[in-house]
Amino acid sequence: MNIMYTIIYLIAAFLAITGFHIQSEKYLRSMVLGLAIQSSMIALISFIFGIILDSYTFIILGILVIFLRVILVTYFLINKIPRSLSYVYESKVSTTYMLILDFIFIIISIFIVYSISFIHIVTITYPVKNILLFPLLLFFQGLFLIASRKRTIAQVLGYVEEENSLIILGVFLLPVPIIIESSVFLDVLILVVIFSVISIEKNVHEKMEELRG
Amino acid sequence: MLELIVETLSQYLFVVFVSPLFIGIFERLKANVESRHGSSIFQPYYDLFKLLKKETLITENSSKMFIIAPYAAFGVYSLIALIIPVFMSKPIIFTASGDFFAGAILFSLAAFIKIAGTMDSGSNFSSMGVSRLLSFNFFSEGALITVFFAVALITGTDNPYATNNYLISHPLSNLSLVHLFAIFAFFMIFLYETGKIPTQSEGKQEMGMIDSGIDYEYSGKLLGINKWSSYMKQYLLGSVLLNVFLIPWGITNTFPGFLLNIPVMVLKWLFLIFIVLIIDTSMAKLRLFKVIDYLAVAFIFSILFLILTEVIS
Amino acid sequence: MIIIPLIILIIPLIASIFYKNIKNSSAIGAIIEIFMLIPLYLLNPYRGFFYIDTVTFIFVLMVSSIYLLSVLYSRKYVRDIKNRGISENMYYLLMNFFYVAMEFALMVNNYGFMWVGIETTTISSALLLITEKSDTSLEATWRYIIIVSAGVTFAFISVILIYYSFGTLTVTTILAEKISNTLTVRLAVGIALVGFGTKVGIFPVHTWLPDAHSEGPAPVSAMFSGVLLPTALYVLYRIYEIFPMRMIFVWAGTVSVLFAAIFLSYQHNYKRMFAYSTMENMNIALIGMGTGTEIGLIGSLLLLLSHSFGKAGAFYTAGDILHISGTKEINAISGFIENKRISASLLLSSFAVTGTPPYGTFFGEFLILYSVLSIHFYAQFIIIVFSLFIAFVSINLNVSRMIFRGKYEYNKSSGSIISLISGIISIATGIIFLVVINAIL
C-alpha cells in the first residue's frame, strides 16, 4: 500500500514538470499534447485511488477525465489549430525566461498561499501532508501561462491546466460529489467551444489603445 | 598513518593516471557504434605522451599567465581529487580542507584560471570561446551548487563522505523527490561540463566551439597538461555523480581491500559510459543558443523540488 | 412549494423554444417573470432545494426587472446594429440563458450549484459581448472570459474547502452550524473573496470590468452592471455568512473604492466611466455587507436595488448617445441639452449612480457609512468618504460637460423611453424607502 502512495507522489511531482514543459514550449501543438499527458496522469492518479480506496467515484472520475480531457479536448484543440504559421508557432517565447519567471512566480505564490494556510490542512484521501503543494503549483502555473502568453490557444490551455489542478486538489483532499466535478468538465468543454468561435476571428492578444485606463 | 598515506596516494594516482582511460574507452565504443574501426582505448595516453614531448609555441603578446595557467588548473583539479570521494569513501589526508561547496567552488576556480590564461593569448577564436563559455556558465555553476545544496539538505551535512555513508545506510533517501531530480540535473550538468553531444560536439568547428576555444592557442606541453586536466575534470564529475548520487554502494574501505575499488570504479564507469554513449549517438546537437535553455531546465530541476519539499514544507 | 422557483427558471427556457419568434416570446416571458415575483414573495422564507429569504427576494426582484427592461430596450437597439457578431435570435437565446443562470445562482440552496451558476453566467454572457462586432469587442470578450473564468476557478477551491469542513454544501445546513471558526473555513472565505471578487470587481482583479462594459451592447452592459455583479456579490455574501471576516472584507472594499475613484478621475470614454462607477458602487455594497451589521446589509440592498435601475438607465442612455453621435469619447460630445429626453435620463441616471440625496443610492450609502462608523472603522470611513467625493465630482462633471457645453450637431432622434423609466424607478426607490422608514419610525 505504501508503495502505491509513493507512486502517486511521484506522478503528482511530474504534473509540475508537464506544467513547465507547456510553459516553455513554442509550438502550440506540442503544448496541447503536453496537456493531454498531464490529464492522463490525473486520470492515472484517480484510478490508483479508486483501487486503493475501493471507491467507484474515483474510477468514474478517471474515465471522465480520459474521455473529456484527454481525448475530446485534445482532438478539438488540435483540429482547431489552423495550418498557417502564425497559429502554429509563437516566436516571441524565450524558453529560459519563461522557465525562470514561471519558477519565481510559482515559488512566491506557493510560499504565500501554502505556507500560511494550506500547510495546516489535513488531507483525507492521501496521508502525506505536503501533497497539496502539487495542485497549488499546477494552479499557479496555469495562471502564469494565461498571463505570459498572447495566443488564444495558449491562454485556453492555461485555463484547462487550472481546472486540472482543481480536480487533483479535490482528489487529494477528499471525494467531492461527482456532480460538481463533472460540471467542471462541462465548463472546460464549453469554454473550448467559445474559444473556437473567437479564435477564428482573433488569435493574438496584444495591448489595445481603446482598452486602456 | 602509513595506511592513510597509501590510501591517499592510491586515490590521487588513480585519478591522475586512470582518467584518460575512460575517455579512450568511450571513444572506442562510440566508433564501434558508428561502425568505424576506432582507435585503441589507450589513444589518450599516446596523445599525452606525444604532446608532452613536443615543442611549445607561445604567442608574442602573452605574459607569464599564459604559461602558468595550465599548471595551476592541474593543481586545482589535483586538490579536488583529494577532497571528494572519487575512489575511497572514508576520509583521507587533505579531506578536511574542504566540503562539497569547496569542491564546487574549486571547479569554478579552475575554470576561471583556464579562462584567464586563454584570454592572455589575445586570440579572437579563444575570446569567442571564452565569451560563450561565460555566458552559459552562470547557469551551470548555479545548478551545480544547488545540486550540492539538495544533497546537503537531505542528509543534513555538506561533507561528501558523510553524505555517501548516509545514503548507503538510508536506501529510501535515494528515492526522495529532491534526490531524483538532483541526479537528473547533475547528469545534465555533467553532459554540459564534459562537452558531450546535446550541448557541444568534438572538433574545432567554429559553430559549436565552446570548450575547444579554450585550448585553441595552446600547443605542445601546455596543451598536453590542459587536456590531462580536462580528463581529470570529467573523471571527478562523473565519479561524484556515481558515488554520491547514482550508485553510492560498493566502495570498500578496509586497508588491503580498498584495492577492490579499482575494478568497482571501472565497472561503475562502464555503466556511466554506456548511458552517455546512448545519448551521444542517438541525439542531435542543440543549436548554440539553445544550450542556455538546456541549462535553464537543469537549473529548474535542481532547485524546484529542493525549495518545495525541503524549504517550504 | 419548490414549484414556484422552478417556474421562474423554466419560463425563459420555454420562451426560447419559439426560436423563430424569440424576440416577442422573451418579452412576454420577462413580463410573466415580474408577475411571478408575487408568489415568490409569499413563499418567503423557503428552505428546500432552493433557499429564498428576503435578501434573495430583493436580488431576484432586481434581476427580473432589469431583465425585462433590457429585453424591451434591446428590441430597437439590436435591430439597428450594423455588423452583428451573432444573429438577433441568438442574442435573445443567450440573454435568456444568461438570465436563467443568474436566477439559478441566486435561488439555489447549495454552494456548489451557486458556483456552477456563476460559471454559467460567464459562459452564456461571453458571446453577448460581441453583438457589436469589432476587433476591440473581440479582445474585450476574450479578456472577460479568461480573467473571470480564472478567478471563478479559484473560487472553486473555496467550495472544495467548504465541503471539506462541513461535509455538505447545503447553505442552510452550513449556516445553522455553530462551529465555524476553523482555519479551513477562514481560508475558504478568504479565497472566495478573491475568486468571486473577480466577478464583483475588487481591485486588483477588476481589469476585465471596464473592457467588457465599454465594448458590450448597451442592454448587455446594463445587465452586467445592474445584476450580474450583484449576483456574484450575493454568492460572496452567502459565503461570508459562514464566517464573517469583517476586517478583510471592509479593507478589500475600501481599497477598491479608492482605486475606482482614482480611475474615474481620468476617464475619457463615458461607457468606461460608468463601468468604473459600477466598480465603486459594488465595493461600497461589499463594505456594507462586510460590516456584518443589519443596518449595513439593509444599506447594501437598498444601494444595489437603486443602483441597478440607475446604472441600467445610464447604460441605456449611453447606448442612445452612441447611436446618435457615433463616438464614445466624452470630449467629442456636446450640447445634448437640445435633446430633452436623453439629457433628462442621462442626468437622472448619473445622479442615481453617484448617490445624490433623494435617490435610493444616497440612503444606501448613508446607512453603509453609518454601519462602518458603528463598528469603529474610522480610517476606512475617511477613505470611503474621500473616494465618494472624487467619484461624484468626476462623473457629474463629465456628464454636465456632455449636456451643457457646446452645440448640438446631431440628428433629432429622441432616445428610448425605457432609459427614462429606469432612472425614475431609481429615484422612486429612494422615496419609497423614505416613506417606509418614516412609517416605521
Side-chain angles (χ1 to χ4, degrees):
Chain A
M1 200 53 76
N2 207 355
I3 191 77
M4 284 303 211
Y5 285 122
T6 314
I7 291 171
I8 289 175
Y9 193 82
L10 285 179
I11 298 175
F14 273 101
L15 288 178
I17 301 293
T18 56
F20 275 111
H21 171 74
I22 295 169
Q23 177 69 53
S24 61
E25 189 59 61
K26 280 180 185 163
Y27 289 89
L28 300 175
R29 197 170 288 259
S30 325
M31 290 172 77
V32 177
L33 291 178
L35 197 74
I37 292 169
Q38 189 177 77
S39 307
S40 30
M41 280 178 174
I42 287 172
L44 190 62
I45 291 180
S46 189
F47 285 136
I48 295 176
F49 268 124
I51 294 163
I52 296 176
L53 303 176
D54 204 13
S55 153
Y56 69 95
T57 338
F58 284 111
I59 303 281
I60 296 174
L61 185 66
I63 294 168
L64 268 177
V65 170
I66 291 268
F67 182 67
L68 288 173
R69 296 278 166 111
V70 181
I71 298 173
L72 223 55
V73 170
T74 311
Y75 174 79
F76 207 74
L77 288 179
I78 289 260
N79 284 320
K80 278 294 161 197
I81 301 178
R83 296 295 184 270
S84 78
L85 195 66
S86 68
Y87 289 85
V88 173
Y89 184 75
E90 191 166 355
S91 57
K92 286 180 189 164
V93 173
S94 159
T95 309
T96 311
Y97 282 123
M98 281 296 158
L99 283 173
I100 299 293
L101 285 181
D102 188 15
F103 173 73
I104 293 170
F105 176 78
I106 59 173
I107 287 298
I108 292 173
S109 332
I110 290 273
F111 190 72
I112 293 168
V113 172
Y114 182 80
S115 61
I116 290 174
S117 45
F118 276 88
I119 198 164
H120 302 293
I121 292 176
V122 182
T123 50
I124 295 174
T125 46
Y126 192 85
V128 178
K129 218 174 168 187
N130 65 10
I131 191 76
L132 286 184
L133 271 173
F134 300 112
L136 289 175
L137 197 75
L138 207 55
F139 184 86
F140 288 114
Q141 276 179 327
L143 216 56
F144 186 74
L145 188 59
I146 293 175
S148 62
R149 292 300 192 91
K150 292 204 167 74
R151 304 267 170 211
T152 309
I153 187 163
Q155 296 184 347
V156 169
L157 289 178
Y159 179 73
V160 178
E161 205 174 320
E162 270 186 24
E163 299 272 12
N164 270 351
S165 78
L166 287 189
I167 292 173
I168 203 74
L169 180 75
V171 166
F172 282 140
L173 206 55
L174 75 174
V176 174
I178 195 81
I179 187 154
I180 291 171
E181 296 268 15
S182 51
S183 72
V184 177
F185 295 115
L186 290 179
D187 269 11
V188 170
L189 220 60
I190 295 168
L191 189 86
V192 170
V193 173
I194 290 181
F195 145 73
S196 69
V197 173
I198 289 183
S199 72
I200 294 167
E201 306 282 342
K202 193 165 172 63
N203 61 80
V204 187
H205 302 279
E206 304 277 357
K207 283 180 185 158
M208 294 184 108
E209 190 56 36
E210 291 92 332
L211 298 180
R212 261 183 60 227
Chain B
M1 189 62 204
L2 186 70
E3 289 176 15
L4 205 58
I5 289 169
V6 171
E7 282 168 2
T8 308
L9 270 180
S10 57
Q11 167 153 347
Y12 180 67
L13 294 177
F14 186 79
V15 171
V16 171
F17 288 111
V18 184
S19 55
L21 179 68
F22 298 116
I23 304 282
I25 296 174
F26 176 76
E27 291 297 334
R28 177 63 186 263
L29 286 176
K30 190 178 171 187
N32 286 351
V33 170
E34 288 170 347
S35 312
R36 288 189 279 120
H37 181 63
S39 48
S40 153
I41 59 170
F42 298 109
Q43 187 63 40
Y45 293 104
Y46 303 151
D47 287 349
L48 286 181
F49 280 130
K50 183 184 73 186
L51 287 171
L52 290 177
K53 276 188 296 186
K54 278 199 164 185
E55 181 192 11
T56 305
L57 288 175
I58 295 166
T59 53
E60 266 182 20
N61 306 325
S62 50
S63 65
K64 274 266 189 286
M65 187 67 201
F66 183 73
I67 305 163
I68 294 172
Y71 296 102
F74 193 86
V76 173
Y77 285 124
S78 304
L79 181 58
I80 301 172
L82 292 170
I83 64 173
I84 286 182
V86 289
F87 183 69
M88 305 285 299
S89 68
K90 78 170 191 195
I92 48 175
I93 307 178
F94 296 113
T95 298
S97 55
D99 55 10
F100 255 143
F101 300 109
I105 287 163
L106 283 175
F107 273 117
S108 308
L109 176 67
F112 168 75
I113 291 171
K114 271 191 171 183
I115 286 166
T118 311
M119 288 298 282
D120 201 48
S121 69
S123 154
N124 281 344
F125 275 120
S126 301
S127 40
M128 188 183 69
V130 165
S131 68
R132 284 177 182 175
L133 190 69
L134 286 179
S135 58
F136 299 142
N137 262 14
F138 77 98
F139 263 127
S140 67
E141 300 285 348
L144 198 63
I145 288 176
T146 33
V147 164
F148 289 149
F149 262 121
V151 183
L153 270 171
I154 300 170
T155 57
T157 169
D158 60 352
N159 182 332
Y161 294 89
T163 305
N164 182 276
N165 289 332
Y166 181 91
L167 287 175
I168 289 170
S169 52
H170 298 74
L172 273 180
S173 305
N174 288 300
L175 281 177
S176 75
L177 216 49
V178 184
H179 193 71
L180 285 181
F181 282 94
I183 290 176
F184 201 77
F186 193 63
F187 186 68
M188 289 176 82
I189 295 296
F190 171 73
L191 289 181
Y192 166 76
E193 290 280 353
T194 56
K196 291 294 181 295
I197 203 72
T199 55
Q200 41 181 311
S201 55
E202 294 291 314
K204 296 229 182 281
Q205 298 97 335
E206 184 202 337
M207 296 302 283
M209 189 165 76
I210 302 174
D211 270 347
S212 335
I214 302 274
D215 292 339
Y216 205 79
E217 287 297 322
Y218 281 107
S219 60
K221 202 165 158 192
L222 294 178
L223 180 59
I225 290 171
N226 250 354
K227 272 195 180 297
W228 205 341
S229 53
S230 66
Y231 297 152
M232 277 170 69
K233 177 184 175 189
Q234 170 171 346
Y235 178 78
L236 291 171
L237 280 171
S239 301
V240 171
L241 177 63
L242 287 168
N243 279 357
V244 181
F245 291 91
L246 221 47
I247 321 165
W249 304 278
I251 306 275
T252 10
N253 289 321
T254 48
F255 175 57
F258 79 91
L259 288 172
L260 271 176
N261 287 345
I262 295 171
V264 167
M265 281 313 293
V266 171
L267 277 178
K268 281 184 176 182
W269 261 95
L270 284 178
F271 171 70
L272 183 62
I273 285 172
F274 181 67
I275 297 174
V276 174
L277 192 66
I278 291 173
I279 293 170
D280 211 84
T281 48
S282 61
M283 288 179 79
K285 188 187 156 308
L286 290 171
R287 274 187 294 135
L288 192 66
F289 298 107
K290 286 289 223 181
V291 174
I292 193 82
D293 297 344
Y294 171 91
L295 291 173
V297 171
F299 180 68
I300 295 288
F301 274 145
S302 67
I303 203 166
L304 177 68
F305 291 102
L306 173 69
I307 291 188
L308 282 185
T309 56
E310 300 290 325
V311 181
I312 289 182
S313 52
Chain C
M1 289 301 280
I2 191 171
I3 197 78
I4 293 167
L6 270 185
I7 291 173
I8 290 183
L9 292 180
I10 287 171
I11 288 173
L13 299 179
I14 294 175
S16 308
I17 295 173
F18 307 101
Y19 189 68
K20 291 268 181 249
N21 223 339
I22 195 166
K23 197 173 173 180
N24 298 324
S25 63
S26 308
I28 295 166
I31 293 167
I32 300 174
E33 291 286 270
I34 295 289
F35 287 110
M36 283 305 293
L37 287 172
I38 299 164
L40 192 73
Y41 182 73
L42 298 175
L43 184 69
N44 167 29
Y46 169 75
R47 285 138 198 258
F49 181 74
F50 295 105
Y51 174 36
I52 315 286
D53 68 354
T54 313
V55 178
T56 318
F57 176 75
I58 289 173
F59 278 91
V60 173
L61 167 72
M62 220 150 78
V63 175
S64 337
S65 323
I66 302 298
Y67 170 65
L68 175 64
L69 290 176
S70 273
V71 166
L72 293 179
Y73 181 82
S74 303
R75 292 172 72 84
K76 185 165 172 298
Y77 189 86
V78 177
R79 195 191 61 212
D80 290 348
I81 293 175
K82 296 285 188 304
N83 50 341
R84 286 200 209 98
I86 49 177
S87 73
E88 205 174 342
N89 287 351
M90 192 63 178
Y91 170 85
Y92 286 102
L93 183 68
L94 286 171
M95 195 77 153
N96 290 345
F97 284 151
F98 180 34
Y99 168 73
V100 172
M102 281 193 288
E103 293 280 31
F104 180 73
L106 286 175
M107 292 192 294
V108 79
N109 188 7
N110 182 312
Y111 286 113
F113 286 129
M114 276 182 183
W115 180 84
V116 172
I118 293 287
E119 189 80 349
T120 318
T121 57
T122 313
I123 288 162
S124 52
S125 61
L127 288 182
L128 284 173
L129 291 180
I130 51 170
T131 314
E132 286 173 282
K133 199 167 93 182
S134 68
D135 206 33
T136 336
S137 75
L138 278 169
E139 176 70 22
T141 310
W142 184 246
R143 287 187 190 177
Y144 169 61
I145 294 176
I146 208 75
I147 295 175
V148 170
S149 304
V152 175
T153 307
F154 194 51
F156 190 69
I157 296 182
S158 162
V159 175
I160 293 178
L161 290 177
I162 290 172
Y163 185 77
Y164 170 82
S165 331
F166 297 98
T168 173
L169 284 172
T170 314
V171 178
T172 42
T173 320
I174 292 173
L175 292 185
E177 295 245 353
K178 286 285 165 276
I179 320 137
S180 58
N181 185 13
T182 61
L183 180 100
T184 327
V185 174
R186 274 181 281 157
L187 190 60
V189 177
I191 288 176
L193 177 65
V194 180
F196 289 119
T198 315
K199 202 133 191 172
V200 179
I202 289 172
F203 183 84
V205 280
H206 67 279
T207 46
W208 63 274
L209 196 147
D211 299 348
H213 281 76
S214 67
E215 293 307 318
V220 176
S221 302
M223 289 279 275
F224 267 52
S225 164
V227 288
L228 173 64
L229 274 62
T231 306
L233 188 57
Y234 170 83
V235 175
L236 188 55
Y237 173 68
R238 283 291 178 222
I239 292 179
Y240 168 82
E241 275 187 316
I242 303 173
F243 179 70
M245 293 164 75
R246 283 182 181 180
M247 202 49 134
I248 291 177
F249 272 63
V250 173
W251 263 122
T254 310
V255 170
S256 311
V257 169
L258 177 64
F259 274 95
I262 292 169
F263 294 138
L264 270 172
S265 62
Y266 61 84
Q267 291 306 313
H268 50 84
N269 173 332
Y270 51 84
K271 287 189 90 171
R272 287 181 85 85
M273 178 182 80
F274 284 130
Y276 278 117
S277 154
T278 305
M279 178 180 162
E280 177 221 340
N281 279 295
M282 283 308 127
N283 282 296
I284 293 174
L286 175 74
I287 293 167
M289 289 172 169
T291 55
T293 56
E294 198 159 337
I295 291 178
L297 181 61
I298 294 171
S300 296
L301 293 177
L302 183 61
L303 173 69
L304 288 174
L305 188 62
S306 181
H307 166 261
S308 66
F309 288 105
K311 190 51 69 60
F315 275 113
Y316 298 150
T317 319
D320 288 339
I321 294 175
L322 180 61
H323 187 68
I324 293 172
S325 68
T327 175
K328 290 177 188 167
E329 290 290 313
I330 292 169
N331 291 331
I333 288 170
S334 55
F336 258 88
I337 188 74
E338 300 280 322
N339 195 331
K340 294 295 177 218
R341 194 190 277 171
I342 288 183
S343 58
S345 59
L346 186 60
L347 266 183
L348 269 179
S349 47
S350 82
F351 282 143
V353 297
T354 48
T356 321
Y359 289 88
T361 42
F362 171 76
F363 299 114
E365 283 171 7
F366 180 81
L367 292 177
I368 290 166
L369 285 171
Y370 172 77
S371 67
V372 169
L373 274 186
S374 72
I375 56 169
H376 310 291
F377 282 6
Y378 299 114
Q380 288 91 324
F381 176 81
I382 293 166
I383 296 172
I384 297 165
V385 171
F386 175 69
S387 314
L388 284 177
F389 173 72
I390 296 178
F392 185 88
V393 171
S394 331
I395 294 176
N396 286 326
L397 194 66
N398 281 334
V399 167
S400 56
R401 271 160 64 199
M402 283 160 73
I403 294 175
F404 297 114
R405 187 193 54 178
K407 273 214 179 78
Y408 186 78
E409 45 210 14
Y410 315 103
N411 60 8
K412 283 288 177 189
S413 70
S414 63
S416 168
I417 189 80
I418 292 166
S419 45
L420 199 58
I421 294 173
S422 192
I424 290 170
I425 295 175
S426 180
I427 205 167
T429 52
I431 293 166
I432 292 169
F433 173 75
L434 268 191
V435 171
V436 170
I437 205 93
N438 276 319
I440 293 170
L441 292 176

